[in-house]
Amino acid sequence: MSGAIIELKGLTKQFKMKTAVHKASFKINKGDIFGLIGQNGAGKSTLLKMIGGLLYPTSGDIHFFNEASDKNQLYFERMGLLIESPGLYPAYTAYQNLNLMMIAYGIKNSNEEINKLLQLVGLENEKKLKVKEFSMGMKQRLGIAIALLGSPDVLILDEPINGLDPHGIKEVRELILELNKNGLTIIISSHILEELSKVATQYAIIHEGKIMETISKDELLLKCEERIELEIDDAKEVTPVLEETLNIKHYKVNDQNTIYIYDSQVENHQIVKHLSAKGIAIHSISKHKQGLEQYFLERTGREAAYSDQFI
Ligand SMILES: Nc1ncnc2c1ncn2[C@@H]1O[C@H](COP(=O)(O)OP(=O)(O)O)[C@@H](O)[C@H]1O
Ligand SMILES: [Mg+2]
């Protein structure tokens, strides 16, 4: 069996004339913090609702632990969801909210379980406070506690930091990392890649209902790392000079005509000097640094407005 806990195969959702999600296919591995990134209206909530069993797909399949979801309804019980705002009772405390939810879900409501959850989300000291007196961050953390009822294998959080102040964002981010450390697989959506990058280990970029790219954290960081871009006729004749003469180890042949050099100590003029000495023509050489947001914008067709970020 592969490490995939969830696999989407051509998942599609059509609302009358609107295709909200179009043939989404990707895998989520156990232990991932899987970041779904897309602008408003891209299809994030629709996709998460299908994964969480709140919306039925128009076509395509979801496999959970290699089982098709429609063959195994128990699948949805192994998901904890926080999609859109949590349905909380404002006149009650966090403890009372959890107690009511446990009764509603038909889970045995125990004092011990409630206290454990309150502690996990950092609300154990707010025993007397009613939810209407909570900050946005506290409400969100209580929403996460409710999503964790029944000890799910996968937690789905749809834009959990929307509307939070920087302090609230930090609290939710730390909670996500803590829950993941205990083995929980987490799927989290956002329209801000920079924020997602502080937690996610794997990403899918969604744009107008289509998955544009799936990429690991390491691959993304490498793509956004500062580099020298070198345009030449034939990478094969250039790499020996880079390695042997200039002692450059950290580089990537992007295609036959482009090489990316990541070694930060090497200067452009040294590269020009040594390649020229071997009679190798350089078509262009430039320093390139791409921020995470710019990377995301390029993949969603809005790069033009940000081109001044190049150096
Ligand atoms: N119930 C619905 N009926 C019709 N259109 C919908 C419905 N839900 C979402 N949509 C449309 O599908 C698209 C994707 O929406 P959504 O998944 O909410 O995007 P996101 O969460 O990325 O902002 C949007 O154009 C939205 O208007
Ligand atoms: Mg949404």
Side-chain angles (χ1 to χ4, degrees):
M1 196 173 98
S2 72
I5 193 165
I6 293 172
E7 183 170 2
L8 310 187
K9 294 185 178 178
L11 206 64
T12 297
K13 184 71 193 181
Q14 183 84 32
F15 292 115
K16 294 188 182 128
M17 297 303 287
K18 176 87 196 172
T19 309
V21 175
H22 182 72
K23 293 188 176 164
S25 298
F26 56 81
K27 288 180 184 180
I28 298 173
N29 287 323
K30 192 164 164 43
D32 272 351
I33 299 183
F34 191 93
L36 182 64
I37 172 98
Q39 297 159 15
N40 285 335
K44 302 181 295 297
S45 298
T46 306
L47 184 56
L48 294 183
K49 283 178 191 166
M50 287 193 283
I51 298 174
L54 300 180
L55 265 182
Y56 205 73
T58 310
S59 59
D61 294 306
I62 309 173
H63 287 235
F64 190 64
F65 279 127
N66 292 341
E67 292 270 354
S69 62
D70 53 354
K71 294 199 193 96
N72 181 8
Q73 281 306 312
L74 283 175
Y75 146 87
F76 294 119
E77 290 184 7
R78 294 163 76 174
M79 304 263 178
L81 313 178
L82 177 56
I83 294 185
E84 278 141 19
S85 56
L88 303 173
Y89 298 99
Y92 292 115
T93 64
Y95 186 101
Q96 290 167 328
N97 265 277
L98 279 167
N99 195 34
L100 284 168
M101 288 296 175
M102 283 173 127
I103 296 168
Y105 289 171
I107 302 169
K108 196 173 165 325
N109 54 330
S110 77
N111 192 31
E112 193 191 335
E113 181 65 17
I114 296 176
N115 283 327
K116 200 177 88 188
L117 278 168
L118 288 174
Q119 197 170 7
L120 194 60
V121 300
L123 290 173
E124 73 275 24
N125 295 324
E126 316 297 345
K127 291 254 181 327
K128 297 220 167 68
L129 216 56
K130 291 182 175 141
V131 163
K132 64 182 171 198
E133 295 148 344
F134 274 20
S135 69
M136 287 284 284
M138 289 164 76
K139 284 184 193 162
Q140 207 62 333
R141 283 184 283 139
L142 180 55
I144 293 176
I146 291 169
L148 290 170
L149 285 171
S151 306
D153 292 310
V154 179
L155 180 65
I156 299 180
L157 304 174
D158 189 17
E159 306 227 30
I161 60 161
N162 251 11
L164 300 188
D165 61 12
H167 182 66
I169 291 176
K170 188 162 172 281
E171 286 174 350
V172 169
R173 187 198 305 146
E174 283 167 3
L175 175 58
I176 288 168
L177 291 171
E178 187 62 33
L179 292 171
N180 178 252
K181 230 190 279 167
N182 298 335
L184 193 64
T185 305
I186 299 173
I187 311 175
I188 170 173
S189 74
S190 178
H191 60 278
I192 310 164
L193 182 56
E194 197 72 49
E195 190 46 51
L196 212 51
S197 72
K198 295 185 177 135
V199 291
T201 55
Q202 195 72 33
Y203 302 86
I205 298 175
I206 184 167
H207 183 56
E208 294 176 353
K210 296 198 184 82
I211 300 296
M212 310 302 283
E213 185 175 35
T214 52
I215 183 167
S216 73
K217 179 185 183 170
D218 290 346
E219 286 168 327
L220 180 67
L221 290 179
L222 191 62
K223 286 193 174 177
C224 292
E225 201 177 334
E226 189 168 316
R227 65 184 185 227
I228 295 171
E229 287 192 12
L230 190 60
E231 266 183 39
I232 40 17
D233 283 321
D234 185 4
K236 278 202 293 297
E237 60 177 30
V238 176
T239 53
V241 186
L242 298 184
E243 287 190 24
E244 286 150 31
T245 318
L246 286 152
N247 199 26
I248 292 170
K249 299 276 182 286
H250 191 29
Y251 69 87
K252 181 175 169 236
V253 176
N254 190 51
D255 55 44
Q256 192 195 348
N257 306 111
T258 341
I259 299 177
Y260 297 155
I261 298 167
Y262 298 100
D263 278 72
S264 53
Q265 80 284 5
V266 59
E267 297 287 344
N268 287 11
H269 67 85
Q270 293 172 289
I271 298 171
V272 173
K273 184 174 127 192
H274 289 285
L275 291 181
S276 304
K278 303 263 184 213
I280 296 171
I282 297 174
H283 296 298
S284 81
I285 180 164
S286 57
K287 274 228 161 107
H288 184 278
K289 181 156 172 57
Q290 190 180 36
L292 287 174
E293 282 315 314
Q294 193 200 352
Y295 181 85
F296 166 48
L297 291 170
E298 273 189 18
R299 263 124 210 100
T300 53
R302 291 196 297 176
E303 74 272 37
Y306 282 77
S307 58
D308 59 347
Q309 282 184 5
F310 284 99
I311 28 173

